[in-house]
Amino acid sequence: DTGVSQDPRHKITKRGQNVTFRCDPISEHNRLYWYRQTLGQGPEFLTYFQNEAQLEKSRLLSNRFSAERPKGSFSTLEIQRTEQGDSAMYLCASRTGQGGAEAFFGQGTRLTVV
Amino acid sequence: AQTVTQSQPEMSVQEAETVTLSCTYDTSESNYYLFWYKQPPSRQMILVIRQEAYKQQNATENRFSVNFQKAAKSFSLKISDSQLGDTAMYFCASINSNSGYALNFGKGTSLLVTP
């Protein structure tokens, strides 16, 4: 297993367009998390999945943000009608369900909205 | 609400010296975990060290150790014998069990190790 992978690494889009990011977690990890990181800040939690169930989505930044994890494997994060304020690094992490387990992060997708 | 505060935006240390990064936190949970993560430039976040709150002994991982002061809600990271490869952003984080053990991060400390 090569760890958590995210695609694409970079995305430049025009304001108003929709974008979708993909995350492939470590295969035996049942929990998957999405975070957003803006310049000079720590990552901010957005949503998480346990297997295919999205158990927390109240932290998604607006109703333009949505995430899926079909069949409990890879996950996608979609942002509709992008705005310049959406420009950030979007990080994915996966882990097992044990309380203190290590979260493994992908390299992130850097989104630039122009 | 859980908060994690890192009061040192930037720090610098010479190679082979020791540096301590500060972190304070606030939580209402009775048992919890604390972490230090490292984010090198343009590379992914990796775990440096973790501490379970009910364990009194401070965690150590090779050159990295923590000073966990539970009553003071303080969780500092000490890096001994600093190496150039330690240059990175360091984030202190707590676990939020109400959000499926999502990490709650501080703003980070940028550490520069100089020759």
Side-chain angles (χ1 to χ4, degrees), chain B residues 12-32:
Chain B
S12 180
V13 63
Q14 281 195 316
E15 209 174 357
E17 297 295 308
T18 295
V19 64
T20 299
L21 309 184
S22 301
C23 173
T24 57
Y25 64 92
D26 192 14
T27 180
S28 56
E29 303 198 21
S30 56
N31 190 25
Y32 50 91

Side-chain angles (χ1 to χ4, degrees), chain B residues 26-85:
Chain B
D26 192 14
T27 180
S28 56
E29 303 198 21
S30 56
N31 190 25
Y32 50 91
Y33 296 85
L34 298 167
F35 302 81
W36 280 96
Y37 276 85
K38 169 185 177 181
Q39 188 176 40
S42 302
R43 296 186 63 185
Q44 68 224 77
M45 190 104 60
I46 56 174
L47 178 68
V48 175
I49 198 166
R50 84 187 102 182
Q51 174 84 39
E52 187 166 6
Y54 82 85
K55 290 186 177 179
Q56 293 186 337
Q57 188 172 6
N58 289 326
T60 62
E61 288 286 344
N62 301 313
R63 298 182 295 108
F64 299 88
S65 62
V66 299
N67 183 5
F68 175 46
Q69 300 290 326
K70 191 172 183 179
K73 295 187 176 178
S74 169
F75 182 61
S76 61
L77 174 69
K78 186 171 83 171
I79 306 174
S80 304
D81 185 25
S82 297
Q83 300 176 358
L84 296 178

Side-chain angles (χ1 to χ4, degrees), chain A residues 58-108:
Chain A
S58 65
R59 308 280 282 274
L60 286 168
L61 300 165
S62 79
N63 57 13
R64 298 184 295 106
F65 287 69
S66 63
E68 293 184 339
R69 191 184 183 195
K71 302 178 184 177
S73 55
F74 71 93
S75 176
T76 58
L77 177 69
E78 181 182 16
I79 309 174
Q80 295 182 327
R81 305 180 303 282
T82 51
E83 302 173 356
Q84 286 190 319
D86 297 332
S87 295
M89 176 76 83
Y90 290 85
L91 299 172
C92 175
S94 71
R95 50 168 281 167
T96 65
Q98 296 172 310
E102 176 180 357
F104 291 82
F105 284 81
Q107 290 190 289

Side-chain angles (χ1 to χ4, degrees), chain A residues 8-53:
Chain A
R9 294 286 307 280
H10 303 274
K11 178 72 176 178
I12 300 174
T13 190
K14 291 185 177 179
R15 191 173 50 187
Q17 297 293 304
N18 298 343
V19 294
T20 300
F21 311 139
R22 177 179 172 123
C23 171
D24 286 90
I26 293 171
S27 57
E28 61 265 29
H29 289 175
N30 62 345
R31 295 192 182 217
L32 184 150
Y33 304 80
W34 285 98
Y35 295 84
R36 184 181 80 153
Q37 186 177 20
T38 54
L39 200 61
Q41 301 293 319
E44 173 188 13
F45 168 63
L46 297 178
T47 188
Y48 92 97
F49 294 84
Q50 182 170 313
N51 301 312
E52 67 275 11

